[in-house]
Amino acid sequence: MKWETQASVKPITGTILEPFFKPPQIPVQPSSYAAVFRAFTGKSLLKQGQQLHAHMFLRGVSLTAFLAAKMVAMYASSGDISAASRIFHSVREPTTLLFNSIVRAYSLYRFSGETLQSFARMHSSSLRGDYFTYPFVLKSVADLFLIRFGKCTHGLIVKDGLGFDVYVGTSLIDMYVKCSESSDARRMFDEMPCRDVSSWNALISGYMRDGTFELARELFDEMPVKNIVSWTSMISGYTQNGLADNALQLFDEMSRQDSEMKPNWVTIMSVLPACAHSSALERGKKIHNFAQEKGLDSHPSVQTALVGMYAKCGSLADARWCFDRIKPNSKNLVSWNSMITAYASHGLGMEAVQTFEDMIESGVGPDGISFTGLLSGCSHCGLVDTGLRYFDSMSSVYLVEKKHEHHACVVDLLGRAGRLVEAYERISRMPMQAGPSVWGSLLAAGRCHRNLEIAELAAKKLFVLEPENSGNYVILSNMYAEAGMWEEVDNLRGVLKSKCVKKNPGCSWIEMNGKAHLFLGGDASHAQTREIYSFLEELPEKMKAAGYVPDTRFALHDISEEEKEFSLTTHSEKLAIAFGLLNSKGGEVLRVTKNLRICGDCHTAIKFISKIYDREIVVRDVNRFHRFKEGSCSCGDYW
C-alpha cells in the first residue's frame, strides 16, 4: 500500500518538532501535531506516531477534525486501520477532509462496506464529495458489484459538478466495466470532453474482461498516446481470452528495437501464460531469455509465471529450476501452488505431496487450489489412502472449505483405482448437490474400467447438467459401440442431432521451429500430408515387428477390422508425431498437445514409436502429461 510521502523523515527533526521541546506549561497548537503526523504518513513510523499521540494526550490537546484527518492518514498508512477508525469515530462533527481520509483508508484496505457506510454518513451530514472522495467510493462499489449504488453515486457526481473531471470520470469508467456494464462505460468515455491515457486503458480492460477483444483492439489502435499499461492490458486480455497468438504477436511488436514502449516485468508475467496455453516452449524460452537480458526475471511474480509456463509446456526440469531460484521469503502461495500443480499434471504424486509438506513447513498455509493440485497428483499415481487422508483433513486441520472441485478429485481418485461403488457413495453423501465436474469424474472412471452401468448413470446426470457438452455423449456412445450396442449408438447420435450439439473434433498440435502445426483426425490439409501418410503407412509393420497389436476398440465404427486399423493410424496425435519425426533431428524431444484425452491405442503405439526411433515424446492431453521414452510412459499405464 502506498501513501503520498515526503522524501525523508529528517526534516521534521528541526522546525516541526521544535514546539514539542518547550516546557509543559507552554501550550502546543493542534496544527503543530498535524504537521508531524502528516510528515510521518507513508513512512512506516507507527511507533513514533503512537508516541506522538500519547504526547498529545498528556498535553491535553483537543482533537480537531483537521488533526484527526492527519492522524487517520498516518495510522492507515502504517497498517493500523483499527486505530484510524477509532479516531474517526471519536470526532463528533467530521469535515469533508476527515471523511476523505477514512474513505481512502477503508478503500485501500478493501473494507468496501465500511467505505460506502462512511460515504453514506457523509452524504447524510450534507457534506459534498469531491475528486478525493468519489474515486475511492467508486472503487468500493466495483469491489461489491453494487451497480445501483454506483449509478446513484454517478448522479451525485454530476450534481456536484465533477462529471467531467478526468480522474473522477476514469473512476466511473472503471466502476462500470468492473460491474459488467460496458455500454455505460463507453457512454461515459464518449461524453468525457477530456481524456487521459488512464481513461482509454480502463475501457480497454473492460472490453477484454467482457471478451469483446475486437472492440478493445479498435480502441487500442485509436489511442493517441499509449503507455506500458495500454500494451500490457491488451497482451493480458488476449491471454485471458485464449488468444495466445494475438498476445504473442503484440508482444513481438513491443519487443522490437524500434518500439518506443518496452516490456516491463508485468508484461512478461502477462505474456508467459500465452506460451503455456499453446504449448509454445520455444517461444517461452525466447521470452525467458529476453527477460534475463533486460533484468526482468528476478521479480518473484515473473519467476512464478516461468514455473507455470515451463510446467505447462512439458519441461518440468526447467519449471523446478525456476522455482528453486525464487528466494525462500519470496515464495508465496501462488509460487507453491504452481509447483504442486506442475508435479500433479505430470503424474508425480509423491513429489506433489512433498512440495505441499515443504510449503506447510515454510509457514505458508494452503488454499483450495493447493488441495486441487495435491489431490489430483495423488489421483494420477494411485496414492488413494494419502489423498483421502488429505481430503479429510482439509477443513479440520487446514481450515480450507471443501468445494465441488475437491469432491471431483476424490471421485476421480477412487474411480481410477477401480473403487467405483465407493466413489458413487461419496457423491451420495456430498453436502452440496453434485455438479458436472463430479459426475464427469465418475463417467471417466466408468469408461476407464468399462463399467457401462456406472457410465450410463453418470452420463444421464450430465445430459441434464450440461446438455451442450458433446464430450459426454461421445464417451457413452463409444462405450456402447465397444459393447456392440449399435442401436444405442444410433439413438445417442439422434439426440445429438436433434439438440444441434456439435461434436468437438479431436486435434493435436506440435511446435516446430517456433511455429505451431495443427492436425485434426484424418487431416489431409497439411502441406506435408503425402510424406506424413507415407510414413504412417510403413509404421504399423515396424511396430508389429516389435510386438504392437492394434487395439481396434478405439476405432469404434461399425466397419471392418482392416478399416479400423487404418482409422487408428490417422488419429491427430499420430499425425503430429509423424510430422515431428520427419522434421526434427535425432535426439530432439517431440512435444505434442491434444485437446482431448489420448486414446488407448495411441498411448500404446507411442510407446513403441519412442522405442523404435529412440525418441523422447511428451504428449499433453486434457488431463495430464505423458512422457514416453524407451518404450514406456511416465504414467505407468495408470491414467
Side-chain angles (χ1 to χ4, degrees):
M1 178 171 304
K2 294 183 179 179
W3 230 268
E4 290 184 14
T5 65
Q6 297 180 11
S8 173
V9 183
K10 292 182 180 179
I12 68 172
T13 59
T15 307
I16 295 178
L17 286 180
E18 186 176 342
F20 303 100
F21 299 125
K22 295 179 179 179
Q25 60 269 24
I26 301 177
V28 180
Q29 296 300 314
S31 59
S32 299
Y33 284 96
V36 181
F37 280 119
R38 180 181 179 185
F40 284 174
T41 300
K43 295 187 173 67
S44 300
L45 296 174
L46 179 60
K47 184 176 181 180
Q48 291 85 337
Q50 291 170 332
Q51 290 172 340
L52 184 63
H53 190 174
H55 185 279
M56 188 181 82
F57 179 78
L58 292 172
R59 287 291 187 99
V61 177
S62 58
L63 185 64
T64 65
F66 179 76
L67 175 56
K70 303 306 175 185
M71 294 176 70
V72 166
M74 185 281 297
Y75 274 115
S77 73
S78 302
D80 193 346
I81 189 66
S82 298
S85 181
R86 285 196 301 272
I87 291 167
F88 169 76
H89 287 291
S90 68
V91 178
R92 289 187 177 182
E93 296 184 3
T95 60
T96 298
L97 179 65
L98 179 53
F99 270 115
N100 282 350
S101 292
I102 196 65
V103 163
R104 182 180 193 227
Y106 281 145
S107 174
L108 294 179
Y109 277 86
R110 303 190 80 86
F111 289 178
S112 302
E114 288 83 351
T115 302
L116 300 186
Q117 287 174 7
S118 299
F119 174 66
R121 180 183 167 191
M122 179 182 183
H123 181 65
S124 64
S125 302
S126 300
L127 293 173
R128 297 172 63 180
D130 56 24
Y131 46 81
F132 289 113
T133 316
Y134 287 116
F136 297 104
V137 172
L138 293 169
K139 177 178 180 292
S140 296
V141 167
D143 287 342
L144 297 175
F145 214 74
L146 297 175
I147 186 59
R148 290 184 64 184
F149 195 108
K151 289 187 175 183
C152 290
T153 305
H154 189 173
L156 290 174
I157 288 170
V158 174
K159 185 178 178 181
D160 289 339
L162 296 170
F164 295 137
D165 179 85
V166 174
Y167 188 32
V168 175
T170 299
S171 298
L172 278 166
I173 294 171
D174 187 63
M175 181 274 293
Y176 279 124
V177 299
K178 288 179 178 175
C179 290
S180 300
E181 297 286 342
S182 293
S183 58
D184 287 322
R186 182 65 197 232
R187 190 178 302 112
M188 182 67 213
F189 178 85
D190 290 337
E191 290 174 357
M192 290 176 69
C194 181
R195 314 178 190 112
D196 64 6
V197 68
S198 297
S199 311
W200 293 79
N201 290 341
L203 189 55
I204 285 172
S205 296
Y207 282 145
M208 282 299 190
R209 181 189 295 266
D210 287 349
T212 52
F213 40 84
E214 299 94 344
L215 293 175
R217 183 64 200 232
E218 286 178 14
L219 206 63
F220 178 77
D221 291 337
E222 292 172 9
M223 287 184 75
V225 178
K226 302 179 180 70
N227 63 9
I228 188 68
V229 177
S230 315
W231 285 88
T232 301
S233 294
M234 287 296 298
I235 291 170
S236 177
Y238 277 139
T239 300
Q240 291 167 10
N241 281 284
L243 300 170
D245 289 344
N246 299 64
L248 292 168
Q249 182 181 0
L250 207 56
F251 180 82
D252 288 342
E253 287 182 37
M254 197 179 184
S255 306
R256 288 202 308 255
Q257 289 188 350
D258 60 348
S259 173
E260 295 181 2
M261 195 62 60
K262 300 297 182 183
N264 63 6
W265 69 267
V266 182
T267 318
I268 300 296
M269 184 183 69
S270 300
V271 76
L272 285 171
C275 301
H277 180 269
S278 56
S279 300
L281 180 61
E282 291 179 36
R283 291 295 301 274
K285 286 184 174 180
K286 287 179 180 178
I287 292 172
H288 187 184
N289 292 336
F290 175 87
Q292 287 178 317
E293 291 170 4
K294 303 299 181 182
L296 301 172
D297 67 323
S298 59
H299 196 284
S301 295
V302 173
Q303 292 170 332
T304 299
L306 284 166
V307 172
M309 182 275 292
Y310 278 120
K312 290 176 182 177
C313 288
S315 185
L316 191 58
D318 286 321
R320 183 70 208 200
W321 183 83
C322 291
F323 179 77
D324 289 338
R325 285 191 66 230
I326 305 174
K327 295 178 181 178
N329 60 351
S330 295
K331 285 180 180 174
N332 58 19
L333 181 58
V334 177
S335 307
W336 286 103
N337 282 349
S338 295
M339 201 64 235
I340 292 169
T341 304
Y343 280 129
S345 65
H346 284 261
L348 299 174
M350 290 299 296
E351 287 80 354
V353 169
Q354 185 58 57
T355 305
F356 179 87
E357 291 298 335
D358 290 343
M359 178 180 74
I360 300 300
E361 189 176 342
S362 74
V364 176
D367 66 357
I369 296 173
S370 313
F371 278 100
T372 300
L374 178 64
L375 294 172
S376 177
C378 291
S379 177
H380 283 306
C381 66
L383 297 175
V384 181
D385 293 337
T386 301
L388 291 175
R389 186 169 66 251
Y390 277 117
F391 177 77
D392 292 338
S393 67
M394 278 181 65
S395 303
S396 58
V397 177
Y398 300 102
L399 306 180
V400 176
E401 180 186 359
K402 296 173 183 175
K403 296 185 178 179
H404 269 103
E405 56 266 31
H406 305 117
H407 288 280
C409 284
V410 169
V411 171
D412 187 62
L413 179 76
L414 293 168
R416 286 178 190 272
R419 295 159 63 170
L420 301 181
V421 174
E422 189 177 346
Y424 177 70
E425 290 174 350
R426 283 260 180 180
I427 295 175
S428 303
R429 296 197 303 269
M430 280 176 58
M432 74 281 284
Q433 190 169 355
S437 60
V438 176
W439 290 112
S441 294
L442 188 65
L443 175 60
R447 172 192 57 195
C448 179
H449 294 282
R450 301 178 190 172
N451 188 319
L452 187 55
E453 182 182 357
I454 287 288
E456 280 184 317
L457 188 153
K460 287 175 182 177
K461 294 285 186 180
L462 289 166
F463 294 162
V464 175
L465 292 170
E466 43 180 23
E468 302 303 316
N469 186 345
S470 64
N472 301 321
Y473 296 93
V474 170
I475 289 173
L476 186 60
S477 176
N478 288 348
M479 291 187 70
Y480 282 146
E482 183 182 343
M485 300 167 66
W486 298 108
E487 184 176 345
E488 284 77 4
V489 171
D490 291 338
N491 289 338
L492 268 184
R493 287 175 180 170
V495 171
L496 278 171
K497 187 175 181 180
S498 66
K499 292 187 176 182
C500 298
V501 178
K502 293 183 179 180
K503 181 180 175 182
N504 187 22
C507 66
S508 301
W509 60 95
I510 183 171
E511 185 187 20
M512 194 65 60
N513 300 320
K515 181 181 179 182
H517 296 262
L518 178 71
F519 297 89
L520 298 172
D523 200 347
S525 62
H526 195 274
Q528 289 184 245
T529 294
R530 183 175 297 177
E531 295 95 317
I532 292 170
Y533 276 79
S534 176
F535 179 88
L536 289 173
E537 283 176 11
E538 299 174 2
L539 188 58
E541 294 306 316
K542 293 181 179 179
M543 292 195 300
K544 286 178 181 178
Y548 166 71
V549 177
D551 193 341
T552 56
R553 290 180 297 113
F554 295 98
L556 302 181
H557 296 291
D558 194 9
I559 54 179
S560 69
E561 287 298 307
E562 185 178 349
E563 288 175 305
K564 286 183 179 181
E565 285 192 30
F566 177 75
S567 174
L568 288 173
T569 64
T570 60
H571 280 191
S572 64
E573 52 266 60
K574 288 175 183 168
L575 294 174
I577 289 170
F579 172 80
L581 290 170
L582 288 168
N583 292 274
S584 61
K585 298 177 182 177
E588 285 187 26
V589 178
L590 300 183
R591 303 179 190 277
V592 175
T593 303
K594 179 169 176 128
N595 67 331
L596 303 175
R597 183 179 185 267
I598 186 174
C599 85
D601 179 75
C602 286
H603 188 270
T604 301
I606 298 170
K607 287 193 289 185
F608 279 97
I609 293 170
S610 70
K611 185 175 182 180
I612 293 169
Y613 292 93
D614 193 22
R615 288 293 193 96
E616 182 177 344
I617 303 171
V618 179
V619 178
R620 170 187 169 188
D621 72 4
V622 71
N623 292 324
R624 57 162 293 161
F625 281 91
H626 297 266
R627 188 176 298 274
F628 300 90
K629 191 174 182 179
E630 297 175 353
S632 62
C633 179
S634 59
C635 71
D637 294 335
Y638 189 87
W639 58 287

